[in-house]
Amino acid sequence: MKNIFQILLFLLIFQSCQYFEKNVPAKDDLVKKELNKINWDQVDEFPSASQCDSIIEKEERKNCFFSFLSQTIQQKLAIDSIKKLYPKIDSLSLKITVLSDSKLVFESQDTLNKSKIDSLLKIHFNDFPTVEPAIKRGMKVKSQFVLPVILKNK
């Protein structure tokens, strides 16, 4: 009787160990599932300028950043000869790329005179104020956007 009890106890313990085993999902499955969760079209935090760092609200901070960009670009272009060289142009559509290392790249979206305008932008924007890049999941990432800029007459 004692042997039967020991055998039954052994079988019960052996069988119960299966309930404690956990099926661990494959690493590739976890990566795919996590990548599908990420919205690649939006960033967690927009790029920021130093004067916008104290703003906590996400939308206000974004507006502050775009306002800062517009004002700074307009100030730099007011000195520029774009208005003198191309008097018919009253506004520019600029594609601005903020790289993850805080560098800025400006490109004109104007199909006419694009290369000339781009070269003027590089010359006059080489000392552009520092901009912090966008953040996605705790990492600094590259971001691009198109900003319309009105060229003001002096």
Side-chain angles (χ1 to χ4, degrees), residues 18 20 37 48 55 66 71 74 84 90 106 110 115 124 133 144:
Q18 292 177 357
F20 295 114
K37 287 182 187 178
S48 181
I55 300 172
F66 285 116
Q71 290 173 356
Q74 285 175 347
K84 294 174 188 169
D90 60 348
F106 296 91
D110 184 10
S115 62
H124 290 285
Q144 281 185 330

Side-chain angles (χ1 to χ4, degrees), residues 14-104:
F14 182 73
Q15 203 55 356
S16 68
C17 290
Q18 292 177 357
Y19 294 114
F20 295 114
E21 288 181 18
K22 293 184 180 180
N23 292 334
V24 179
K27 180 175 74 170
D28 294 337
D29 292 339
L30 287 175
V31 169
K32 285 179 187 176
K33 193 182 288 185
E34 195 64 26
L35 287 175
N36 288 335
K37 287 182 187 178
I38 298 172
N39 182 354
W40 294 104
D41 296 329
Q42 291 183 341
V43 293
D44 298 337
E45 291 182 36
F46 281 91
S48 181
S50 58
Q51 55 264 45
C52 302
D53 286 344
S54 61
I55 300 172
I56 297 171
E57 178 64 35
K58 185 177 181 178
E59 195 64 30
E60 287 179 31
R61 192 173 184 157
K62 173 185 164 185
N63 292 337
C64 174
F65 173 70
F66 285 116
S67 175
F68 160 77
L69 273 182
S70 294
Q71 290 173 356
T72 307
I73 290 170
Q74 285 175 347
Q75 288 172 356
K76 289 189 173 289
L77 291 179
I79 304 166
D80 200 351
S81 57
I82 290 179
K83 194 66 178 162
K84 294 174 188 169
L85 291 173
Y86 309 105
K88 292 183 180 180
I89 297 176
D90 60 348
S91 65
L92 285 176
S93 185
L94 297 179
K95 181 169 125 182
I96 302 171
T97 305
V98 181
L99 302 174
S100 60
D101 62 356
S102 298
K103 292 182 182 174
L104 294 169

Side-chain angles (χ1 to χ4, degrees), residues 121-136:
L121 292 175
K122 284 181 185 177
I123 292 169
H124 290 285
F125 291 164
N126 63 358
D127 62 340
F128 205 84
T130 303
V131 172
E132 283 298 314
I135 296 178
K136 181 73 173 177

